[in-house]
Amino acid sequence: QRKNPFSNDDRLASKPVHTHRGDSTYGRPPEGSQTEQRGKDAHSHVGKEVEELCSIIRRTGEVGEDGHVSVTFGQLFETYVTISNKVVGILLRARKHGLVRFEGEMLWQGKDDDVVITLL
Protein backbone atom coordinates (compact mmCIF):
# COMPACT_ATOMS: atom_id res chain seq x y z
CA GLN A 1 0.00 0.00 0.00
CA ARG A 2 2.95 2.32 0.66
CA LYS A 3 3.84 2.25 -3.06
CA ASN A 4 0.25 2.35 -4.33
CA PRO A 5 -0.34 5.74 -6.04
CA PHE A 6 -4.10 5.32 -5.61
CA SER A 7 -3.97 4.93 -1.83
CA ASN A 8 -5.10 7.95 0.20
CA ASP A 9 -4.33 6.42 3.59
CA ASP A 10 -2.01 8.91 5.36
CA ARG A 11 -1.33 6.44 8.20
CA LEU A 12 0.69 4.23 5.86
CA ALA A 13 2.92 7.06 4.67
CA SER A 14 3.86 8.11 8.23
CA LYS A 15 5.07 4.67 9.35
CA PRO A 16 8.76 3.78 9.04
CA VAL A 17 9.49 1.41 6.20
CA HIS A 18 11.49 -1.25 8.09
CA THR A 19 13.90 -1.49 10.96
CA HIS A 20 16.84 -3.84 11.09
CA ARG A 21 18.43 -5.78 13.93
CA GLY A 22 21.18 -3.26 14.72
CA ASP A 23 18.74 -0.33 14.81
CA SER A 24 17.85 1.07 18.24
CA THR A 25 14.12 1.05 17.37
CA TYR A 26 14.13 -2.60 16.25
CA GLY A 27 11.39 -4.57 18.03
CA ARG A 28 9.95 -1.47 19.72
CA PRO A 29 6.68 0.32 19.01
CA PRO A 30 6.85 3.82 17.50
CA GLU A 31 7.33 6.58 20.08
CA GLY A 32 4.09 8.19 21.20
CA SER A 33 1.94 5.34 19.87
CA GLN A 34 -0.87 3.67 21.81
CA THR A 35 1.11 0.44 21.71
CA GLU A 36 4.03 2.11 23.48
CA GLN A 37 1.66 3.53 26.11
CA ARG A 38 0.03 0.13 26.70
CA GLY A 39 3.49 -1.39 27.20
CA LYS A 40 4.42 1.30 29.73
CA ASP A 41 1.12 0.82 31.57
CA ALA A 42 1.63 -2.97 31.71
CA HIS A 43 5.20 -2.54 33.00
CA SER A 44 3.96 -0.20 35.72
CA HIS A 45 1.16 -2.61 36.71
CA VAL A 46 3.54 -5.56 37.01
CA GLY A 47 5.92 -3.42 39.08
CA LYS A 48 3.11 -2.65 41.51
CA GLU A 49 2.23 -6.37 41.75
CA VAL A 50 5.88 -7.20 42.53
CA GLU A 51 5.91 -4.54 45.28
CA GLU A 52 2.69 -5.95 46.72
CA LEU A 53 4.11 -9.49 46.67
CA CYS A 54 7.22 -8.33 48.55
CA SER A 55 5.10 -6.59 51.19
CA ILE A 56 3.03 -9.77 51.67
CA ILE A 57 6.22 -11.82 52.10
CA ARG A 58 7.42 -9.25 54.65
CA ARG A 59 4.11 -9.47 56.59
CA THR A 60 3.59 -13.23 56.51
CA GLY A 61 7.18 -14.47 56.60
CA GLU A 62 9.58 -14.99 59.46
CA VAL A 63 12.96 -13.35 59.92
CA GLY A 64 15.75 -15.92 59.70
CA GLU A 65 19.18 -15.99 61.29
CA ASP A 66 20.62 -14.14 58.28
CA GLY A 67 18.15 -11.28 58.79
CA HIS A 68 16.16 -12.04 55.63
CA VAL A 69 12.43 -12.68 55.70
CA SER A 70 11.41 -16.12 54.40
CA VAL A 71 8.10 -17.85 53.71
CA THR A 72 7.18 -21.19 52.17
CA PHE A 73 5.57 -21.23 48.75
CA GLY A 74 2.49 -23.00 50.12
CA GLN A 75 1.90 -20.31 52.75
CA LEU A 76 2.53 -17.51 50.24
CA PHE A 77 0.27 -19.14 47.66
CA GLU A 78 -2.63 -19.42 50.12
CA THR A 79 -2.23 -15.78 51.16
CA TYR A 80 -1.57 -14.25 47.75
CA VAL A 81 -3.98 -16.26 45.58
CA THR A 82 -6.93 -14.37 47.08
CA ILE A 83 -5.34 -11.19 45.70
CA SER A 84 -4.05 -12.45 42.36
CA ASN A 85 -3.92 -15.75 40.50
CA LYS A 86 -0.58 -14.78 38.92
CA VAL A 87 1.55 -15.50 42.00
CA VAL A 88 4.08 -17.72 40.19
CA GLY A 89 4.59 -15.25 37.34
CA ILE A 90 5.04 -12.37 39.75
CA LEU A 91 7.52 -14.46 41.78
CA LEU A 92 9.54 -15.15 38.64
CA ARG A 93 9.57 -11.43 37.80
CA ALA A 94 10.64 -10.55 41.35
CA ARG A 95 13.48 -13.10 41.13
CA LYS A 96 14.56 -11.69 37.77
CA HIS A 97 14.92 -8.27 39.44
CA GLY A 98 16.86 -9.73 42.37
CA LEU A 99 14.15 -9.15 44.99
CA VAL A 100 13.53 -12.77 46.03
CA ARG A 101 15.42 -16.07 45.99
CA PHE A 102 14.09 -19.63 45.72
CA GLU A 103 15.23 -22.99 44.36
CA GLY A 104 14.00 -24.33 41.04
CA GLU A 105 12.92 -22.86 37.76
CA MET A 106 9.16 -23.04 38.31
CA LEU A 107 6.99 -23.52 41.38
CA TRP A 108 3.92 -25.79 41.35
CA GLN A 109 1.08 -25.72 43.85
CA GLY A 110 1.10 -28.84 46.01
CA LYS A 111 4.42 -30.19 44.75
CA ASP A 112 6.54 -27.20 45.81
CA ASP A 113 4.61 -26.05 48.90
CA ASP A 114 7.71 -26.53 51.10
CA VAL A 115 10.07 -24.48 48.91
CA VAL A 116 11.39 -21.50 50.87
CA ILE A 117 11.13 -18.05 49.28
CA THR A 118 13.51 -15.49 50.72
CA LEU A 119 13.04 -11.74 50.41
CA LEU A 120 16.39 -10.14 49.59
Side-chain angles (χ1 to χ4, degrees), residues 36-74:
E36 180 189 41
Q37 187 58 46
R38 283 190 294 269
K40 287 179 180 179
D41 292 346
H43 184 75
S44 173
H45 178 73
V46 169
K48 289 176 187 172
E49 288 227 18
V50 168
E51 286 177 23
E52 185 176 8
L53 176 75
C54 290
S55 70
I56 289 172
I57 292 172
R58 201 174 291 115
R59 279 192 313 242
T60 61
E62 296 177 6
V63 179
E65 294 175 10
D66 59 357
H68 292 293
V69 178
S70 297
V71 66
T72 63
F73 176 65

Side-chain angles (χ1 to χ4, degrees), residues 74-110:
Q75 183 182 359
L76 179 63
F77 189 89
E78 290 302 318
T79 304
Y80 194 79
V81 78
T82 60
I83 299 165
S84 173
N85 61 356
K86 301 177 291 282
V87 65
V88 175
I90 299 301
L91 270 171
L92 292 174
R93 178 62 64 108
R95 179 170 65 179
K96 179 180 176 183
H97 290 287
L99 300 173
V100 297
R101 178 179 59 226
F102 57 89
E103 295 295 322
E105 291 296 315
M106 180 67 76
L107 297 174
W108 304 98
Q109 183 186 10

Side-chain angles (χ1 to χ4, degrees), residues 1-9 11-18:
Q1 285 295 322
R2 206 177 306 284
K3 296 177 183 178
N4 184 346
F6 303 106
S7 177
N8 293 336
D9 196 349
R11 292 176 300 142
L12 296 173
S14 66
K15 288 185 179 180
V17 179
H18 286 286

